[in-house]
């Protein structure tokens, strides 16, 4: 019916507006927290370079202010290189097309900051970044989250956060450490 349709439209619209407002506030808080000393560039490491990781990195780069994809890590080198190339091309295309949100975005991931293998996440975390995007398969996320918190990095982590009860407990315990470190 038209009444049900308009109700759905109303819910979609208001949900999008509220979600956008919440995310906008989170982005502003994250930017301030990542650089309390006043530097205005945020360096990002992408850990997990599949389709969702690539999309998350592009979304992080499409932000007002200086944001740089600084490092990338994946278990598979070809996956990681393809992701970095794809992100670079999309940012270049966005700049060429006049996308204001990509105006200050940079992809600066030279070979020495492209890491592959099962220990690649540690190298990316230790590469001088401010923010880590965790988009690996969820079975790995508890240990990657723990390593990022121990290193004092801000984290964006895809869901699901873990695959089993011990993993969820690990994430919850690590989250308490993150709160103590104001991450």
């Amino acid at each position: 019916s038209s009444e049900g349709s308009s109700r759905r439209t109303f819910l979609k619209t208001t949900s999008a507006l509220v979600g956008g407002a919440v995310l906008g506030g989170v982005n502003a808080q994250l930017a301030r927290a990542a650089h309390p000393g006043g530097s205005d560039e945020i360096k990002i490491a992408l850990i997990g370079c599949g389709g969702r990781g690539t999309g998350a990195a592009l979304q992080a780069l499409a932000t007002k202010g200086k944001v740089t994809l600084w490092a990338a890590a994946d278990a598979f080198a070809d996956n990681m290189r393809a992701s970095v190339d794809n992100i670079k091309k999309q940012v270049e295309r966005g700049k060429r097309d006049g996308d204001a949100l990509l105006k200050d975005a940079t992809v600066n991931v030279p070979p020495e900051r492209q890491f592959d293998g099962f220990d690649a996440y540690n190298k990316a975390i230790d590469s001088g970044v401010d923010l880590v995007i965790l988009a690996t398969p969820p079975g790995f996320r508890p240990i990657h989250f723990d390593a990022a918190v121990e290193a004092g990095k801000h984290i964006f982590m895809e869901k699901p956060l873990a695959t089993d009860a011990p993993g969820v407990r690990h994430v919850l315990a690590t989250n308490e450490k993150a709160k103590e470190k104001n991450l």
Side-chain angles (χ1 to χ4, degrees):
S1 75
S2 64
E3 183 179 318
S5 179
S6 63
R7 191 175 304 151
R8 274 193 291 277
T9 303
F10 172 77
L11 288 174
K12 284 181 187 177
T13 303
T14 56
S15 296
L17 289 172
V18 170
V22 169
L23 289 176
V26 169
N27 285 343
Q29 286 178 328
L30 180 60
R32 283 192 297 275
H35 293 291
S39 172
D40 60 352
E41 180 183 24
I42 297 175
K43 294 179 183 175
I44 298 172
L46 171 60
I47 301 174
C49 297
R52 185 58 206 126
T54 299
L58 283 165
Q59 289 172 333
L61 290 168
T63 304
K64 288 183 180 180
K66 294 180 184 178
V67 181
T68 300
L69 181 61
W70 186 256
D74 196 272
F76 305 101
D78 56 342
N79 203 32
M80 181 264 312
R81 283 191 296 270
S83 176
V84 171
D85 289 344
N86 184 12
I87 293 166
K88 187 179 288 187
K89 287 176 187 172
Q90 289 197 44
V91 168
E92 288 170 0
R93 183 174 28 248
K95 286 182 177 192
R96 208 175 36 248
D97 293 345
D99 186 335
L101 290 177
L102 290 172
K103 182 182 86 166
D104 295 321
T106 305
V107 179
N108 181 11
V109 189
E112 60 270 16
R113 289 196 302 269
Q114 296 179 16
F115 308 106
D116 62 270
F118 286 105
D119 64 342
Y121 72 98
N122 279 319
K123 296 171 185 172
I125 290 169
D126 293 336
S127 68
V129 298
D130 308 298
L131 173 71
V132 176
I133 296 173
L134 298 179
T136 56
F140 295 102
R141 293 214 189 111
I143 59 170
H144 295 172
F145 182 46
D146 193 47
V149 169
E150 288 299 318
K153 306 302 178 185
H154 294 279
I155 301 120
F156 171 83
M157 183 166 40
E158 288 288 325
K159 62 183 181 185
L161 306 178
T163 58
D164 56 12
V168 171
R169 286 191 290 275
H170 189 133
V171 168
L172 292 172
T174 302
N175 192 54
E176 291 304 314
K177 292 180 195 174
K179 287 179 185 177
E180 290 170 11
K181 292 184 170 193
N182 199 28
L183 299 174

